[in-house]
Amino acid sequence: MAPMPSPQERDAVTFSRDELRRQTRALERAQRAAESANAELLRYLFENAPAERRAGALLGGIDRRGLFRLGGYTVAAAAVLAACGKDEPEQTNVLAVSGEPPVFEALPNQPVDDIVLLRTATSLENTIITIHETLIQNGFIDDPAIIEVLRVFNAHHAAHAAAFADATAAAGGTACTGINQKMYDDIFAPILLTIANSPGSQKEDAKAFAYSMEQLSGATHQQFVATYSQPSLRKSAMSVGAVEGRHAAVLAVLLNPETLVVPAVASAAPVATTAPPTTIESELQTTVASATTSTTIPPATVSNVIVAVPSTFGSLGPIPLTYGEPNAEGVRTTTNLETPSLNSFMYVDEQC
Amino acid sequence: VDNLDTMQRDGEPPPSRRGILGALGLGGAALVASAVAASRPAAAQAPDTTTANTGSAGTQPVASTAPSATTVATTTTTAPPRRPTADDLPLIGAARVFELAAAEVYSRVSARIDEFGFDDATKAFVGDLSARHRAYAEQLGAVYGPGAPFAGSDKIAQQLGAEAIATATGPQVLQGAQAVEEAAVDTHLELLGQIQSVQAATLIASIQIIEARHAATLASLQSTPYDASAPAVEDGADAITAGA
């Protein structure tokens, strides 16, 4: 085994200095000769050669069009590499956004407890009072018998709201004293507006709306039974919900005494079997006028399911309400009324 | 106990709801479910550990018949049991016994449905009541599970006027049927205040709200006005069960 060299031996020059100097002088000569040739070439290009040749020579054989092509290839290659690349962390469900993306504040996680349900129940009772009063005071309902029972209903709704407000306070919450503004603005106000602007169907629509609100109220209290934490609160809910059911039945008997119960096989919403009567002007004109269409508005009991006992068990499904005058195609507006849920509860931090 | 024949003479104005039940001897009957034997051991879930603090939350007396105080409870973070507890079974069984008895009474009405002079709408409605109450009993039996009470109570059926049906007139049938429905509404309301199971409570609520509509419809068919005398809330005072 050879002995290890000392540090001095490792750093020592092991080739000839004369040979190094000879090679350096040879490189200098070659460099000078090459520079001379390049100088001749450049002189030729700038003084005698045409512009295309000059550009091609100076840019390494790439003309202007080729430069654009090269740029395109570069961009495409960058895209391919970016798509195939694994270096960046993978991002999913990210939409491309032009400019500064808006900043959204995450919705607070609101618990749905007894207090929220009681506040929502209170707000709905107050909302129904508002709607019934609107229907009466604007003359949308002018049948004295119906007005009389709606007044009784409203007295009951006021008592219900007060009872739920007391229950809210007893459970440690802040009682709701107003209407359910979310449901009113998004659902009920547009219906009222349509009824107000539909003189042809107004009376029938208003009756159907009043009935639907009583249906909705009863269904809401029934629905809340599944969510209340205490049997005593469930009992309170149905001590009110059953009365709302009575309201709906009383109104239904007034509006539709011919059908008190929906047979099980015919519980689906009624479907029009005949097209609405349409009258078209008979004389042809050179300038075609818009066709005059007259449509008979069916009674509320035909357009809507208004029956004293509509099902064997209390339904929690949507309550379809058809109202308003038909459009050009003869179609009337139908809105499905649904019991309050996550987006219409009156949470503890909401003004009510 | 008065029967349907003694409750109302033809031509007299129909009595109030409470009056009907009083005439039937059902008014104020206490809810006693002990007579219903829970013949199967509890599909027992752990009893609910929540404690209900009941108190009275005043209701505004808008009717001449003052509504009962609404009970309230403090909220809790303990989720109520979904399936019936051991303590729930007698209560669910009592509800089923009541519904079977009501179905029995109405089956006797249905047998004579053409004799009462009802119009088509009333005939369809009254004639369907037996099947409806039987459906309620079936669903309650399904929630109860194996060992559910098999038959209705003869005592309740008698109280509901089963024997009087044989000689009842059309108006008397309507009056008696209303009494049955009023008792059903109150019975289920009282059960709702005691049953812990969410599944059972949800079913009973869906039954009770329709039975309230039955009662209101029967009152309307007797031309009973729905006015300020109508109670604003159900009070459960007319609840009955097999032990009553």
Side-chain angles (χ1 to χ4, degrees):
Chain A
M1 187 174 185
M4 293 289 290
S6 67
Q8 290 77 15
E9 289 171 334
R10 285 203 301 270
D11 295 339
V13 177
T14 56
F15 52 84
S16 167
R17 293 180 182 226
D18 291 340
E19 179 60 22
L20 180 60
R21 281 195 288 270
R22 278 195 294 272
Q23 289 190 9
T24 301
R25 282 197 294 272
L27 284 173
E28 286 177 350
R29 281 195 298 272
Q31 175 69 18
R32 277 196 289 273
E35 284 176 354
S36 175
N38 276 338
E40 285 293 324
L41 175 62
L42 289 172
R43 192 176 303 114
Y44 165 77
L45 288 172
F46 281 100
E47 292 177 359
N48 303 319
E52 291 78 12
R53 292 283 305 273
R54 187 189 312 144
L58 291 176
L59 295 174
I62 302 173
D63 59 5
R64 195 179 61 170
R65 189 164 296 167
L67 190 63
F68 287 133
R69 278 199 297 271
L70 181 61
Y73 293 146
T74 304
V75 171
V80 170
L81 289 173
C84 299
K86 294 282 186 183
D87 294 338
E88 294 295 326
E90 195 168 323
Q91 290 185 332
T92 58
N93 299 327
V94 177
L95 295 177
V97 177
S98 175
E100 283 296 317
V103 178
F104 295 106
E105 186 177 348
L107 292 174
N109 185 18
Q110 298 272 27
V112 178
D113 56 14
D114 292 340
I115 292 174
V116 171
L117 297 177
L118 290 167
R119 283 168 52 85
T120 304
T122 311
S123 71
L124 185 61
E125 296 288 345
N126 289 330
T127 305
I128 294 172
I129 293 172
T130 299
I131 289 172
H132 285 344
E133 283 300 323
T134 302
L135 295 174
I136 293 171
Q137 292 180 3
N138 287 280
F140 301 159
I141 290 178
D142 56 4
D143 184 330
I146 296 176
I147 291 175
E148 185 180 347
V149 296
L150 288 185
R151 296 283 192 208
V152 175
F153 294 172
N154 270 358
H156 288 176
H157 290 309
H160 301 163
F164 285 127
D166 288 346
T168 306
T174 302
C176 175
T177 57
I179 66 172
N180 190 314
Q181 200 67 50
K182 289 179 283 192
M183 293 187 78
Y184 187 84
D185 290 346
D186 294 343
I187 303 168
F188 304 136
I191 294 174
L192 285 171
L193 188 61
T194 302
I195 291 175
N197 293 326
S198 306
S201 62
Q202 193 172 82
K203 307 297 184 192
E204 296 299 319
D205 292 346
K207 294 174 191 172
F209 191 23
Y211 170 80
S212 297
M213 290 309 297
E214 295 297 335
Q215 278 267 92
L216 181 68
S217 176
T220 298
H221 297 304
Q222 181 190 332
Q223 171 119 22
F224 284 3
V225 164
T227 313
Y228 281 127
S229 67
Q230 297 288 324
S232 58
L233 286 174
R234 299 177 196 153
K235 179 182 178 183
S236 297
M238 289 315 295
S239 72
V240 170
V243 171
E244 316 288 29
R246 290 179 190 269
H247 291 175
V250 167
L251 207 48
V253 173
L254 282 173
L255 297 174
N256 188 17
E258 290 80 19
T259 305
L260 300 175
V261 60
V262 175
V265 294
S267 58
V271 178
T273 54
T274 57
T278 303
T279 305
I280 300 177
E281 290 184 4
S282 59
E283 294 183 9
L284 295 176
Q285 301 173 356
T286 51
T287 302
V288 177
S290 59
T292 302
T293 303
S294 65
T295 303
T296 303
I297 304 296
T301 53
V302 173
S303 304
N304 296 279
V305 180
I306 299 179
V307 180
V309 185
S311 56
T312 302
F313 294 87
S315 171
L316 298 178
I319 302 166
L321 173 67
T322 299
Y323 57 98
E325 295 179 2
N327 61 16
E329 286 77 35
V331 177
R332 304 178 67 199
T333 304
T334 295
T335 298
N336 285 329
L337 305 180
E338 299 191 46
T339 55
S341 188
L342 296 175
N343 61 353
S344 49
F345 283 151
M346 300 308 299
Y347 295 99
V348 292
D349 59 347
E350 292 187 82
Q351 291 295 322
C352 173
Chain B
V1 175
D2 293 339
N3 59 31
L4 288 169
D5 291 327
T6 63
M7 284 169 46
Q8 181 193 6
R9 304 300 175 195
D10 290 342
E12 293 180 356
S16 65
R17 283 171 50 191
R18 188 58 42 77
I20 295 171
L21 295 166
L24 276 173
L26 307 183
L31 179 71
V32 180
S34 57
V36 179
S39 57
R40 72 169 169 132
Q45 297 191 1
D48 194 358
T49 57
T50 56
T51 55
N53 295 331
T54 57
S56 65
T59 53
Q60 293 182 351
V62 296
S64 58
T65 304
S68 67
T70 303
T71 57
V72 297
T74 54
T75 57
T76 175
T77 55
T78 305
R82 173 166 172 74
R83 296 182 59 202
T85 65
D87 293 339
D88 288 341
L89 292 180
L91 302 172
I92 299 169
R96 176 170 155 85
V97 165
F98 180 96
E99 294 297 342
L100 288 170
E104 170 61 23
V105 172
Y106 284 128
S107 68
R108 300 187 187 193
V109 172
S110 298
R112 295 185 56 215
I113 195 69
D114 292 327
E115 302 174 20
F116 301 125
F118 293 149
D119 59 31
D120 289 344
T122 305
K123 187 188 296 183
F125 169 60
V126 175
D128 201 33
L129 287 172
S130 179
R132 287 169 179 269
H133 285 273
R134 194 164 297 282
Y136 301 151
E138 288 171 358
Q139 290 301 314
L140 288 164
V143 170
Y144 188 105
F150 184 72
S153 160
D154 290 340
K155 186 176 181 181
I156 290 180
Q158 289 173 8
Q159 284 186 286
L160 297 179
E163 293 180 358
I165 295 298
T167 57
T169 63
Q172 290 167 339
V173 165
L174 296 179
Q175 192 178 351
Q178 185 187 350
V180 171
E181 299 301 331
E182 301 289 4
V185 170
D186 283 356
T187 298
H188 290 315
L189 184 64
E190 287 302 308
L191 292 173
L192 278 171
Q194 300 178 51
I195 288 176
Q196 298 291 330
S197 160
V198 172
Q199 187 183 29
T202 302
L203 172 62
I204 290 175
S206 74
I207 293 171
Q208 190 231 15
I209 195 170
I210 293 298
E211 289 177 332
R213 294 180 80 134
H214 291 168
T217 304
L218 289 160
S220 295
L221 291 174
Q222 298 170 78
S223 302
T224 304
Y226 198 85
D227 54 22
S229 66
V233 295
E234 308 289 346
D235 57 14
D238 301 313
I240 61 170
T241 65

